[in-house]
Amino acid sequence: MDTVINRKSRKIQIAGAGAAIILALGTLAFISATKRKALNVAAGELLIKEVKSDYFEDFIIFQAKAEPLNAMLVNIIEGGSVQEIFAENGAMVQKGQALAKMYNPNTELGYLTQETAIIEQINNLSSAKLNIRNQEINLTKDLVMIEHDFNDARRQHDINERLYKKDIISRNEYQASLENLRYQQRRMDDIQTNIRRERQTNRIQVAQIGRSIATMEKSLEILRNNKKNFW
C-alpha cells in the first residue's frame, strides 16, 4: 500500500528562496568590504622626493568682473558720434586733456551758419562805421567850399563898398554884394552847426558800433570755443 506524501506550502518555498538570496548578497558585501585593496604601479612611474617645509602655490581659475571703487561720469557740452578715442579706460589723464573726438554734422553746420551770420554782422557794422566817417569827410569838404564862397563874397563886398562910396557903382550892385555876403555867412554858419551836431552824433554812433562789434567778436570767440568741445 502506497504512503501519501504531503506537499510543502507555496509560501514556505518562496520565503526560503528569498532568505537564501539575502544570505548570498550579505556574504558578497562582507567579502567586498573586508577585501584588501591594492594598486599596481610601474617602478619607472614613481617619483620620490624629500619632505620639507616650503611655499605652497595653488591657482584657482575663475571668472569675475572687476569694478572701480569710484566712478565719475564726464559730461560734454555738445554730443555726437565718437570719431576717435585718445584715452583708454583706466588710463591716467590730466586736466584739459582731450579724451575723445566727437563729430556731429548737424551741430557743425549750425556753428558754421552762426559763424557766418556773426561775421556778416561785424562786416555790416564796420561798413556803417566807415560810412559815418565818409559823411564827416564830405561835410568837411562842403565846409571848405562854403568858406571859399564866403571869402569871395566878402572880398567882392569890400570892393563894392569902396566903389559905392566913390559913386562908381550903383546902390543896387552894392546891395546885391551885401545880400550875397549875408547869404554866404548864414550858409557857412549853418554848415558849421550841422558839422558840430553831426560829429557829436557820429561819436555816439561810432561808440555804439564799436561796442556792438566787440560783443559780436566775443560771441564769435565763444562760438569757436564751443566747437572745440567736440574734443
Side-chain angles (χ1 to χ4, degrees):
M1 183 176 182
D2 295 332
T3 304
V4 178
I5 299 174
N6 296 326
R7 293 184 178 180
K8 295 182 178 180
S9 175
R10 185 71 175 176
K11 292 182 179 181
I12 296 174
Q13 291 178 354
I14 293 173
I21 293 173
I22 292 173
L23 181 60
L25 291 175
T27 303
L28 291 175
F30 176 78
I31 295 173
S32 176
T34 56
K35 184 179 180 180
R36 184 176 297 177
K37 297 180 179 180
L39 176 64
N40 296 324
V41 180
E45 297 179 357
L46 295 177
L47 180 62
I48 300 174
K49 294 186 69 176
E50 179 182 358
V51 177
K52 62 180 179 178
S53 298
D54 200 351
Y55 180 76
F56 177 75
E57 293 184 357
D58 190 11
F59 298 94
I60 300 176
I61 300 176
F62 60 92
Q63 293 181 351
K65 180 180 180 181
E67 295 184 356
L69 180 62
N70 298 317
M72 179 178 296
L73 297 178
V74 180
N75 295 328
I76 58 176
I77 298 177
E78 296 294 343
S81 60
V82 178
Q83 193 173 31
E84 187 175 358
I85 297 177
F86 303 120
E88 298 295 339
N89 293 336
M92 298 295 296
V93 296
Q94 301 294 331
K95 182 179 180 180
Q97 178 182 343
L99 303 180
K101 180 180 180 181
M102 313 294 292
Y103 180 71
N104 190 329
N106 295 329
T107 303
E108 186 174 4
L109 180 61
Y111 279 144
L112 292 176
T113 302
Q114 295 178 25
E115 185 176 5
T116 302
I118 293 174
I119 293 175
E120 185 177 358
Q121 292 180 6
I122 292 175
N123 292 335
N124 292 336
L125 292 173
S126 299
S127 298
K129 188 176 181 181
L130 181 61
N131 290 335
I132 291 174
R133 292 178 178 176
N134 290 335
Q135 290 176 3
E136 289 187 359
I137 294 174
N138 293 331
L139 289 174
T140 303
K141 290 180 180 180
D142 293 340
L143 178 60
V144 172
M145 294 178 62
I146 292 173
E147 288 177 347
H148 179 268
D149 295 340
F150 170 77
N151 292 329
D152 286 345
R154 184 174 58 182
R155 184 170 54 255
Q156 185 64 42
H157 172 69
D158 292 342
I159 294 173
N160 289 345
E161 186 177 14
R162 289 194 299 269
L163 294 175
Y164 175 70
K165 288 179 180 180
K166 294 179 181 181
D167 294 331
I168 298 176
I169 62 174
S170 65
R171 182 177 178 82
N172 290 334
E173 290 181 293
Y174 170 73
Q175 289 292 336
S177 64
L178 180 61
E179 290 297 328
N180 185 42
L181 177 62
R182 290 174 179 174
Y183 167 73
Q184 295 298 337
Q185 180 70 55
R186 289 194 302 269
R187 185 185 177 196
M188 186 176 65
D189 292 341
D190 290 341
I191 192 66
Q192 287 176 345
T193 302
N194 290 335
I195 288 177
R196 286 194 298 270
R197 291 177 179 175
E198 191 72 21
R199 286 177 177 174
Q200 184 178 4
T201 303
N202 290 345
R203 282 195 296 269
I204 296 175
Q205 291 181 352
V206 169
Q208 291 176 347
I209 291 174
R211 289 192 293 269
S212 298
I213 291 176
T215 302
M216 293 296 175
E217 290 178 345
K218 186 176 181 180
S219 299
L220 185 61
E221 182 181 359
I222 294 174
L223 181 66
R224 289 172 176 173
N225 288 333
N226 286 338
K227 289 177 64 177
K228 297 179 182 178
N229 291 325
F230 282 109
W231 296 79

